[in-house]
């Protein structure tokens, strides 16, 4: 055993005894600081706790004045302690009082101490406190001392968690009196009321110390072996499909899994007296802490990979790959609180009756948002400070309609929300009653209402919502929720499942629409200045032929003997459509030549998402069987307003003269060319917009499943020909607010276009 580990080992044994003794958390902390100061030959050892009001409070000290305990409260970024809390990094200083961040608190009596070492106390990726030691003499703390203090901090995290719980119970009344509202970005609409549960994708270490280092080393080695086998298998599966940069990314991941430095660090931990779980957990905390402050993109990627490997290893050690959620069936449903959340993690919560999801960092949430929408769970993202402001168990209202999260809401607000939820369910009952009725206007025009889907989870919603089929199946979702590129067999089975489920109802498969905001981690696309205008959609597919042809093959094979409808995303010029269609035809020939039953019929379409394509309709009319307008992308290009930036995307209205004139022209051109046209994109799910589009001649609308009810109700209340006529007289001339004029028109015509 290395020399440096003998001191920690003794310390660990004593700590283990203290933990096992149980008792009051404050008393235990007092004993811990005494022990740590003694063992580390420090004059001072102190613990600061992050309180509910986000201050750093001195809760135990050996060496500073006893009366400072609970009296000394530092602002979240005050002094050296605050700096550690903010950076989540250790800090070692030879002469602390001379450091610019030093904050002098006379009540502590810390004047004589010069050397300072502090480490963050981390739990669930959050800094819950800071542990420090100080010495009178100026001295430099060694790496091994820093590590020892970090290991102690890890153990302390659990004791502090108990203290936080006890305090919370005592402060419950005060907490209730201190509600807080956070504004965020709605990622999936709806309202949910529940109780905060922190997302932690790993099994926490149940035991920290072990007296059987040999046994623990063996467990760890076995788990590492299992991890390497599964990572090797993952890389091997994609070996044929990936070349160049993506392949390097996977290889790097694999190399990290085999990295002896990582393994040595873990083994050192168990040889120093930690359990295998605690040794991995320590590494994970270090990686997370470094991630918090790393700005270099390359380093961040590696740290993400390492954190992911730590998590996997912890799950293997825990004997389960699945994330567990403790839910009290009697109590309020859980609201997941996460700093980051992967789509696969979210899928594992399925069936836990989640009331809502709050995600601090929206950027990584976009994939999770896709899954949240499929699961129809109210979700908010982009909530800075969320994980420090919420405590486990806090009552939470997720209002993803208004983009607000109410923490610790008072009874009046809770009652108001309970009323809103009741009203929503009354409306839902009305839509359910209309489920089997067609969307026919008062003058007998039949509008096809289709669902936008992307995961097998969405399939039931077609039937439940009373839709006519799937107007947009976003095939890239399967790629986004998988950890690796889905192999041919997996793609065939998903498409077969979709076709089986839909029976005679039509399904339009949109081929992979990757790039833009839909990045695949293992394809490692280069960062672009303007991803929405970059190497994405059909451009990306045509350039990564192996991937694209594999998908086309899967579609052809799945549709065996049935109708296959395929469309290509964001076609900008006719040549892109021709090239993609030629590849599809090649796959059809290839499969037929090998004896596979071809689809009974094949319909090939293009998405109109770039304005230029509106002026290519004549060229493609003989070749394409249909066109579908993707309003999400089309409107961002039309108004030059990024759809991901609410400040600009919400500035322009589709029910305005420029957009409506453009769409009216497109509808008219397609009518003349006898080219079937539909609309997909979120716009057709808004009843006001849906009515305008139907009135302009778009008789097939595809939308999120939850919007079918409100749109059907609106269609059934309108005389479409009259509305179309009135709209056409408003469009060419006039210059006022078209939406206002349209709403006035709806009033005159007695149309019901309420949102939900
Ligand atoms: C669109 O852009 O309108 C569309 C339907 O595609 P996506 O939202 O998947 O980009
Ligand atoms: Mg699009």
């Amino acid at each position: 055993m290395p020399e440096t580990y003998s001191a920690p080992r003794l310390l660990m044994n004593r700590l283990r005894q203290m933990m096992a003794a149980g008792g009051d958390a404050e008393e235990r902390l007092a004993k811990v600081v005494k022990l740590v100061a003694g063992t580390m030959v420090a004059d001072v050892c102190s613990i600061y706790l992050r309180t509910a009001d986000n201050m750093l409070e001195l809760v135990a000290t050996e060496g500073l004045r006893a009366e400072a305990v609970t009296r000394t409260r530092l602002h979240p970024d005050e002094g050296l302690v605050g700096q550690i809390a903010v950076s989540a990094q250790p800090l070692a200083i030879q002469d602390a009082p001379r450091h610019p961040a030093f904050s002098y608190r006379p009540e502590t009596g810390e004047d004589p101490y010069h050397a300072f070492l502090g480490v963050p106390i981390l739990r669930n990726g959050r800094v819950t406190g800071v542990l420090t030691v100080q010495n009178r003499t100026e001295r430099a703390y060694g790496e091994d001392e820093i590590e020892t203090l970090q290991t102690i901090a890890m153990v302390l995290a659990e004791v502090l968690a108990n203290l936080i719980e006890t305090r919370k119970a005592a402060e419950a009344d005060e907490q209730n009196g201190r509600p807080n509202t956070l504004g965020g970005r709605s990622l999936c609409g709806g309202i949910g009321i529940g109780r905060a549960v922190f997302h932690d994708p790993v099994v926490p270490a149940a035991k920290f110390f072990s007296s059987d280092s040999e046994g623990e080393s063996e467990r760890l080695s076995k788990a590492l072996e299992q991890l390497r086998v599964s990572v090797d298998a993952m890389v091997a599966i994609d070996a044929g499909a990936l070349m160049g940069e993506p392949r390097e990314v996977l290889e790097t991941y694999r190399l990290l899994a085999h990295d002896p430095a990582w393994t040595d660090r873990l083994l050192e931990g168990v040889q120093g007296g930690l359990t295998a779980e605690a040794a991995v957990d320590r590494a994970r905390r270090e990686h997370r802490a470094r991630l918090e402050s790393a700005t270099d993109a390359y380093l961040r990627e590696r740290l993400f990979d390492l954190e992911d490997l730590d998590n996997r290893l912890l799950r293997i050690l825990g004997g389960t790959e699945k994330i567990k959620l403790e839910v009290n069936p009697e109590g309020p449903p859980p609201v997941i609180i996460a700093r980051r959340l992967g789509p696969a993690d979210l899928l594992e919560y399925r069936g836990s009756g989640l009331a809502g999801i709050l995600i601090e960092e929206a950027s990584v949430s976009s994939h999770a948002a896709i899954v949240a929408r499929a699961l129809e769970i109210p979700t908010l993202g982009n909530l800075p400070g969320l994980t420090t402001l919420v405590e486990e168990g806090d009552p939470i209202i997720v209002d993803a309609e208004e983009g607000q999260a109410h923490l610790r809401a008072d009874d009046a607000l809770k009652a108001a929300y309970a009323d809103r939820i009741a009203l929503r369910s009354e409306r839902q009952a009305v839509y359910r009653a209309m489920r089997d009725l067609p969307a026919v206007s008062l003058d007998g025009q039949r509008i096809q209402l289709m669902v936008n889907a992307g995961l097998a989870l969405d399939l039931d919603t077609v039937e439940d919502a009373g839709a006519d089929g799937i107007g947009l199946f976003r095939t890239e979702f399967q790629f986004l929720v998988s950890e690796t590129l889905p192999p041919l067999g997996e793609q065939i089975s998903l498409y077969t499942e979709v076709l089986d489920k839909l029976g005679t109802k039509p399904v339009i498969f949109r081929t992979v629409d990757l790039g833009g905001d839909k990045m695949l981690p293992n394809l490692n696309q280069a960062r672009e200045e303007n991803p929405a205008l970059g190497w994405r959609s059909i451009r990306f597919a045509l350039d990564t032929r192996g991937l694209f042809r594999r998908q086309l093959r899967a579609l052809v094979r799945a549709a065996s003997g049935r109708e296959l409808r395929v469309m290509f995303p964001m076609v900008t010029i006719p040549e892109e459509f021709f090239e993609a269609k030629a590849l599809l035809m090649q796959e059809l020939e290839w499969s037929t030549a090998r004896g596979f039953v071809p689809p009974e019929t094949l319909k090939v379409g293009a998405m109109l998402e770039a304005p230029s394509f509106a002026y290519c309709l004549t060229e493609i009319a003989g070749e394409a069987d249909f066109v579908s307008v993707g309003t999400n992308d089309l409107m961002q290009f039309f108004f030059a307003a990024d759809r991901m930036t609410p400040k600009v995307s919400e500035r322009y209205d589709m029910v305005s003269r420029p957009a409506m004139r453009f769409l009216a022209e497109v509808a008219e051109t397609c009518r003349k060319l006898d080219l079937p046209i539909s609309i997909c994109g979120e716009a057709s799910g808004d009843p006001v917009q849906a009515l305008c589009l139907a009135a302009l001649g778009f008789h097939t609308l595809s939308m999120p499943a939850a919007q079918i009810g409100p749109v059907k109700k609106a269609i059934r209340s309108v005389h479409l020909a009259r509305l179309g006529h009135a709209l056409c007289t408003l469009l060419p001339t006039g210059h006022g607010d078209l939406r206002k004029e349209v709403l006035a028109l709806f009033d005159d015509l007695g149309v019901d276009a309420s949102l939900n």
Side-chain angles (χ1 to χ4, degrees), residues 474 510 513 518 536-537 569-570 607 609 630 632-634 643:
R474 293 176 160 114
R510 192 259 304 271
D513 185 10
K518 291 179 246 176
R536 56 170 294 207
S537 304
M570 214 181 88
M607 285 187 79
E609 302 188 89
N632 301 338
D633 274 313
L634 180 65
R643 65 191 262 193

Side-chain angles (χ1 to χ4, degrees), residues 77-320:
D77 54 357
E78 184 182 343
L80 301 174
V81 170
Q83 193 162 316
I84 295 165
V86 169
S87 67
Q89 292 268 37
L91 186 63
I93 297 170
Q94 285 196 25
D95 189 10
R98 289 230 303 268
H99 192 279
F102 182 77
S103 162
Y104 176 60
R105 288 303 192 102
E107 74 274 13
T108 60
E110 66 182 321
D111 320 41
Y113 306 111
H114 286 269
F116 173 98
L117 168 62
V119 297
I121 302 174
L122 295 156
R123 193 165 194 268
N124 290 352
R126 300 193 305 149
V127 177
T128 58
V130 173
L131 170 67
T132 65
V133 289
Q134 289 169 274
N135 280 79
R136 277 174 203 276
T137 48
E138 286 187 29
R139 54 163 295 206
Y141 294 96
E143 271 304 311
D144 51 341
E145 287 170 303
I146 298 175
E147 265 178 29
T148 303
L149 205 61
Q150 280 179 305
T151 309
I152 297 166
M154 190 172 83
V155 177
L156 277 179
E158 306 310 311
V159 186
L160 276 197
N162 287 343
L163 183 61
I164 292 167
E165 277 307 311
T166 325
R167 285 188 162 201
K168 246 175 67 186
E171 286 169 6
D173 288 345
E174 203 198 332
Q175 291 262 336
N176 284 342
R178 218 179 318 116
N180 195 352
T181 296
L182 305 179
R185 174 116 192 258
S186 174
L187 303 176
C188 174
I191 297 169
I193 302 182
R195 212 159 260 281
V197 176
F198 272 86
H199 163 72
D200 196 13
V202 296
V203 187
K207 257 176 72 202
F208 288 99
F209 308 113
S210 163
S211 45
D212 176 13
S213 325
E214 284 312 304
E216 286 304 299
S217 297
E218 202 171 310
R219 279 185 66 229
L220 182 63
S221 303
K222 273 199 185 138
L224 276 164
E225 191 46 41
Q226 189 179 330
L227 173 88
R228 287 177 190 136
V229 169
S230 71
V231 171
D232 287 351
M234 185 179 103
V235 177
I237 285 171
D238 291 297
L242 291 179
M243 299 302 283
E245 211 179 358
R247 175 123 196 85
E248 280 160 27
V249 170
L250 275 185
E251 271 303 335
T252 313
Y253 189 78
R254 200 175 72 82
L255 286 177
L256 282 175
H258 287 264
D259 181 9
W262 181 56
T263 316
D264 287 352
R265 176 92 182 102
L266 299 178
L267 285 170
E268 271 172 18
V270 289
Q271 280 156 10
L274 294 177
T275 58
E277 283 89 346
V280 183
D281 200 20
R282 183 177 71 171
R284 185 174 68 104
R285 284 162 203 257
E286 286 168 10
H287 294 140
R288 265 201 190 184
R290 282 171 61 199
L291 196 55
E292 297 298 322
S293 57
T295 47
D296 177 72
Y298 177 81
L299 180 63
R300 282 183 68 82
E301 281 309 314
R302 294 292 76 76
L303 288 167
F304 267 124
D305 286 352
L306 276 169
E307 195 191 349
D308 193 57
L309 285 168
D310 298 329
N311 287 342
R312 269 169 199 260
L313 191 55
L314 273 176
R315 289 197 225 172
I316 291 173
L317 282 166
T320 168

Side-chain angles (χ1 to χ4, degrees), residues 464-646:
D464 294 350
D468 296 304
I470 295 180
L472 166 69
F473 191 88
R474 293 176 160 114
T475 57
E476 66 277 3
F477 282 13
Q478 187 188 22
F479 289 63
L480 294 173
V481 300
S482 318
E483 293 199 355
T484 57
L485 289 177
L488 181 71
E490 276 178 26
Q491 294 185 49
I492 295 177
S493 65
L494 173 65
Y495 306 150
T496 307
E497 190 182 345
V498 176
L499 290 167
D500 287 351
K501 187 91 183 190
L502 269 282
T504 53
K505 290 187 173 176
V507 185
I508 300 178
F509 290 99
R510 192 259 304 271
T511 56
V512 277
D513 185 10
L514 293 166
D517 71 315
K518 291 179 246 176
M519 301 287 273
L520 282 190
N522 42 12
L523 279 182
N524 201 28
Q525 288 140 267
R527 251 189 60 77
E528 294 174 314
E529 279 299 314
N530 295 299
L533 305 176
W535 191 50
R536 56 170 294 207
S537 304
I538 197 65
R539 305 165 183 175
F540 170 83
L542 290 173
D543 289 352
T544 48
R545 275 181 190 229
L547 182 147
F548 189 36
R549 289 190 61 163
R550 179 157 50 159
Q551 176 177 45
L552 296 174
R553 186 168 302 178
L555 286 165
V556 168
R557 296 264 294 275
S560 151
R562 306 187 258 200
E563 179 182 76
L564 176 62
R565 299 186 193 209
V566 175
M567 70 179 173
F568 305 121
M570 214 181 88
V571 179
T572 312
I573 50 172
E575 289 70 21
E576 287 168 343
F577 175 78
F578 298 143
E579 199 180 334
K581 187 177 168 186
L583 288 176
L584 175 60
M585 292 313 183
Q586 272 176 33
E587 284 309 321
L588 185 63
E589 264 173 43
W590 190 91
S591 290
T592 316
R594 274 156 190 78
F596 294 105
V597 179
E600 188 188 34
T601 48
L602 176 63
K603 294 205 161 127
V604 192
M607 285 187 79
L608 194 168
E609 302 188 89
S612 63
F613 197 59
Y615 301 95
C616 304
L617 297 171
T618 317
E619 284 101 309
I620 65 139
E623 288 288 330
D625 299 299
F626 64 93
V627 170
S628 190
V629 182
T631 46
N632 301 338
D633 274 313
L634 180 65
M635 287 299 124
Q636 78 166 340
F637 300 134
F638 187 75
F639 286 118
D642 179 8
R643 65 191 262 193
M644 304 298 283
T645 308

